[in-house]
Each structure stands twice: as structure tokens, then as C-alpha cells.
Amino acid sequence: MSLEPEVIEDCARLLDEAQSNVYDVDKLTDTHPGIDVDTAYDIQDALRAIKQGRGLRITGMKMGLTSYPKMKQMGVDTPIYGFLSEDLAVNDGGLVETALLIHPKVEAEIAFVTSESLSGPNCDEAAVMAATAFLLPAIELIDSRYRDFKFDLPSVIADNTSASRYVVGSRPVSPAGVDLETLGVVLEKNGAVMEVGAGAAVLGNPATAVAMLVNMLHVRGQSLPAGSLVLSGAITAAIPVAAGDSILLRADGLGTAGFRLI
Ligand code: OOG
Ligand code: MG
């Protein structure tokens, strides 16, 4: 069911305010049970327009729920996408202020940086690899604006797929010769290994997740511009973090990325 444009705008504003002022809200489908996936992306687009209206630059896109560990953890069964804006970027080795977050969790991902635009409907792994300038190890910090981190598919899509912060490694690696399927990752908290995984956890190959993003964007009349940073989705389950934690991702052949919560 579609919503009136004013209601879509109100939903986007509610989520934007929850994020800016650091409080949780009821999931959107509690108040608007009719929201379907397409309407949820309308709300996400409205949220993006609100942020762009504040002068924020869009730095890229993210895929979510692309791996079974994540789908299982969140009780949701379809991949989803969101957008990344410049205010979410954290420097490698930098600090994240916990007071600005509701209930943060971190997950290990592979980031793609594109040098050519990509469009659907038939984008595939080969097209993604050809358009990729370099790969980077990435940690996504997700922070659902919904109470107890509980949601359904339309609600999490509207909430920009829980996007909150991301950090990428400082050493770009050319995709030539990288086997994304066997690429191993180790996610550490305060020096202890919390999660391990391999690229193939993400739809068999993280490049497939990027191709799926491009094809999903096509359905909504959109494409992926050159120069986009794309988070291809968590390889592992997400782990809760708190002030004082140091988070480090080690990715085979791609180096490390990390940050500290204060
Ligand atoms: C939704 C976002 C999922 C991923 O990489 O799977 C995501 C959530 O779990 O809150 O970013
Ligand atoms: Mg993620």
C-alpha cells in the first residue's frame, strides 16, 4: 500500500530526528501497517533528500542482509540497500562518540570503490569487477533507530538499513587477482577474536551483492554513479559494542581497518 506524500515525508522526518537526537522509536509498521517494500524505499529516498537538503554529500551505497548469519540474526530473509553520506564516514584508526549512538553493533564487510557508473537491469559480477577501481576492508557500525533493534523488512528499509557509521582501510587494493570468495576476515574487539568469515558468505561472492544492488536500483529508475563506495554487506553476524571498545578488522590481502569508541 502506498502512503500519501505528506505521510512519507513525516515518516522520514521522524527517523531523521530519532537519529539526530539519539532516541529510539516504534517500528514504522506499528503505526502504518500498510507500508510495503516499495513505499519503504520511498521513505528512504525522502530521508536521503532531507540529508542532502542539509548539504550532506552522498558517498555511496550499502547492501544489507546479504549473508545467512545476518538474515538469521535479524529474522529477515531478503537483501536490502541503503545509502551512505559523508557524516557517517570515520577515519581509519579514528574515534566514534558513543553518546551519539543508540545501541551500536559492528560487522565485517568488503567495500568496493567504483571508477565507472553501473546500471541495471542485467548487471553481473563481471561488470562489477570491471567497474571496480579498488577494494577496501570495511567495518560497518549499524544502529537501528527502532526499539531493541527489532524490525521487519519495510521498517528497516525506511530506516536506511540501520546505517550509522563506517570505516574503511587506508590501503586501496586493485581487484585483479583477488579471490573474493575465499577472502578471509577476522573481526576483533579489544584484541579478542569475535567473528571470522569468508567473502563467499555474502551471496556466494560479495561482487554479486553489488550487482544485485545495481539491479535493485534499476527497478526504482536509479543507477550507481562512478566514484561510489559500496559496502557489500556483513560477512558475519553483528556484535554489540560500547564506549571503550577498540574494533579491528583484518582482511586477507586487504589489510586492516579499525576505530575506537569513546
Ligand atoms: C540491517 C542492516 C544489515 C548488513 O550488512 O547485513 C546490514 C540491520 O541488521 O540492522 O547492514
Ligand atoms: Mg552492513
Side-chain angles (χ1 to χ4, degrees):
M1 190 189 79
S2 186
L3 296 179
E4 298 294 319
E6 310 82 74
V7 182
I8 287 175
E9 191 63 30
D10 285 351
C11 290
R13 216 169 287 287
L14 173 109
L15 290 165
D16 181 52
E17 279 166 17
Q19 181 175 13
S20 304
N21 300 316
V22 199
Y23 56 76
D24 57 13
V25 294
D26 291 332
K27 67 178 193 296
L28 275 192
T29 50
D30 288 348
T31 21
H32 303 283
I35 296 177
D36 59 17
V37 163
D38 208 42
T39 307
Y41 280 114
D42 289 341
I43 297 170
Q44 188 191 109
D45 284 348
L47 184 63
R48 177 181 171 136
I50 289 171
K51 290 182 193 285
Q52 286 179 302
R54 279 206 292 272
L56 286 175
R57 196 169 53 86
I58 301 301
T59 50
M61 300 295 290
K62 58 164 285 191
M63 278 297 268
L65 308 178
T66 47
S67 70
Y68 290 111
K70 275 293 305 192
M71 288 187 206
K72 195 166 162 224
Q73 181 180 32
M74 303 321 295
V76 171
D77 62 1
T78 318
I80 54 180
Y81 68 81
F83 63 87
L84 302 172
S85 47
E86 59 184 326
D87 53 325
L88 308 187
V90 178
N91 291 331
D92 188 16
L95 302 175
V96 173
E97 224 179 309
T98 315
L100 302 178
L101 307 171
I102 307 165
H103 36 208
K105 297 184 196 177
V106 296
E107 44 193 32
E109 308 209 8
I110 307 292
F112 291 66
V113 177
T114 60
S115 53
E116 288 161 40
S117 65
L118 281 165
S119 43
N122 298 312
C123 186
D124 58 15
E125 216 174 282
V128 169
M129 292 311 272
T132 298
F134 49 87
L135 301 167
L136 294 164
I139 302 171
E140 181 175 26
L141 183 151
I142 50 172
D143 193 26
S144 174
R145 268 56 70 171
Y146 299 124
R147 199 145 304 137
D148 302 325
F149 229 109
K150 291 216 171 71
F151 46 68
D152 48 24
L153 206 56
S155 296
V156 68
I157 291 167
D159 184 31
N160 195 23
T161 65
S162 312
S164 176
R165 298 286 187 282
Y166 65 91
V167 59
V168 293
S170 343
R171 187 171 63 92
V173 172
S174 155
V178 174
D179 179 353
L180 280 164
E181 297 173 14
T182 60
L183 197 156
V185 297
V186 176
L187 184 61
E188 298 179 356
K189 177 160 98 173
N190 305 324
V193 173
M194 304 302 288
E195 292 283 341
V196 293
V202 174
L203 300 175
N205 185 321
T208 301
V210 181
M212 185 184 272
L213 164 70
V214 171
N215 292 328
M216 288 170 86
L217 287 171
H218 174 80
V219 173
R220 297 200 33 99
Q222 299 167 12
S223 60
L224 185 71
S228 296
L229 181 129
V230 181
L231 297 181
S232 52
I235 294 169
T236 61
I239 57 167
V241 291
D245 287 342
S246 277
I247 309 300
L248 183 71
L249 172 68
R250 295 190 283 147
D252 192 21
L254 299 186
T256 64
F259 63 90
R260 195 156 60 84
L261 287 128
I262 53 166

